[in-house]
């Protein structure tokens, strides 16, 4: 078995709500109950010191930047559209926080900054589902993202 076949994401007590929501297709981020500022999922405290709470995000974002990861692949599911190395990126969620993410199944040449993205969930091996982002295609006849 290769390292890529063994790679899994596992939960702990702190991440359980995040992964429970991911299993149902919902991306959770953090919000400060005092100032209503949004944070990425890994942040635990507001800059004012308040403990953050979980909040369901819209799951929409814009692409800030991306790169091709030429290190050994951890999973074939993360490959680019032509089976090449994975594309990783930073997206700005509609709520404001930035998230580091995989962009599986895309070719880096098809990406552009400011591109509309949406969350999808991918399970690597036997582990927990993780959020990844994909370009949102708008159909001209409806202007609704798909």
């Amino acid at each position: 078995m290769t390292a890529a076949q063994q790679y899994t994401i596992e939960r702990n007590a702190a991440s359980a709500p995040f992964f429970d929501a991911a299993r149902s297709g919902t991306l959770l981020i953090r919000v400060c109950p005092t100032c209503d500022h949004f944070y990425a999922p890994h942040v635990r405290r507001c800059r004012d010191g308040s403990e953050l709470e979980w909040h369901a995000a819209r799951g929409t974002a814009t692409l800030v930047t991306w790169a091709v990861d030429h290190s050994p692949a951890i999973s074939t599911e993360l490959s680019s559209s032509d089976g090449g190395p994975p594309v990783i990126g930073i997206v700005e969620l509609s709520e404001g926080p930035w998230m580091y993410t995989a962009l599986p199944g895309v070719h880096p040449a098809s990406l552009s900054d400011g591109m509309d993205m949406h969350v999808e969930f991918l399970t690597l091996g036997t582990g927990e589902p993780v959020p990844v982002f994909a370009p949102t295609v708008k159909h001209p006849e409806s202007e609704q993202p798909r």
Side-chain angles (χ1 to χ4, degrees):
M1 196 176 280
T2 67
Q5 292 168 322
Q6 295 176 12
Y7 189 84
T8 60
I9 304 291
E10 295 183 11
R11 70 175 56 214
N12 60 21
S15 64
F18 179 83
F19 289 121
D20 287 343
R23 281 208 184 278
S24 69
T26 300
L27 174 64
L28 290 185
I29 58 175
R30 302 284 190 141
V31 65
C32 177
T34 305
C35 70
D36 292 326
H37 187 82
F38 290 105
Y39 291 89
H42 68 277
V43 180
R44 292 190 179 196
R45 292 199 171 276
C46 181
R47 56 185 158 222
D48 69 11
S50 299
E51 184 86 18
L52 300 177
E53 298 174 353
W54 289 111
H55 176 83
R58 287 182 226 142
T60 55
T62 56
L63 185 60
V64 176
T65 191
W66 65 96
V68 177
D69 181 0
H70 292 283
S71 61
I74 60 169
S75 174
T76 56
E77 291 104 339
L78 297 175
S79 296
S80 64
S81 60
D82 61 2
V87 180
I88 56 173
I90 299 174
V91 296
E92 181 175 2
L93 299 175
S94 296
E95 292 82 3
W98 286 17
M99 278 185 70
Y100 301 95
T101 186
L103 306 171
V106 301
H107 193 277
S110 71
L111 300 172
S112 61
D113 61 327
M115 177 180 272
D116 290 335
M117 307 291 282
H118 67 276
V119 72
E120 295 179 352
F121 293 90
L122 182 63
T123 301
L124 304 177
T126 59
E128 298 292 340
V130 294
V132 297
F133 281 79
T136 300
V137 178
K138 289 187 180 176
H139 293 275
E141 66 278 359
S142 68
E143 285 303 310
Q144 294 298 312
R146 298 203 184 175

